[in-house]
Amino acid sequence: MSKSGNLVPVEFNVLVELDATRKVTPGGIHIPEQRVERDRLEETEGTLVALSPLAFSYDEWPEGARKPEEGDRVLFARYAGVLTERDGKWLRVLKDKDIVAVVEQPVALKEV
């Protein structure tokens, strides 16, 4: 559990690691810290790094449907959960129902 530091989700919670928030524009302009914090709060995509044993364990899960797993890129509800920093990484503790989609890897196109 090295990616999630010392956080272990309980009940129906999951832990999502957020992508690094940009602090400098591509042109080299420094973004004010207040803006960086707002962008971090508005983030809706990250990597699922830990799940509680009860997460996604509903009785009526559709047969054949894929459940989110550790390592998946996921979309989640804006402003959902608790935002925290551990070991220099920003994490969000969310209810499993706040996960709205798994981001599939794009299919590479072959050149003709």
Side-chain angles (χ1 to χ4, degrees), residues 18-41 43 90:
L18 304 178
D19 297 333
T21 304
R22 198 169 55 177
K23 296 182 180 183
V24 179
T25 67
I29 299 172
H30 289 273
I31 300 171
E33 188 61 31
Q34 183 179 10
R35 174 62 191 248
V36 172
E37 289 177 20
R38 187 175 72 214
D39 289 349
R40 193 174 291 127
L41 285 171
E43 185 68 46
W90 285 95

Side-chain angles (χ1 to χ4, degrees), residues 16-19 42-47 73-77 103:
V16 175
E17 182 179 326
L18 304 178
D19 297 333
E42 293 176 351
E43 185 68 46
T44 58
E45 187 172 337
T47 303
R73 294 285 299 165
V74 293
L75 291 177
F76 52 87
V103 179

Side-chain angles (χ1 to χ4, degrees), residues 51-62:
L51 293 89
S52 76
L54 296 175
F56 306 110
S57 64
Y58 310 111
D59 290 337
E60 296 181 19
W61 195 268

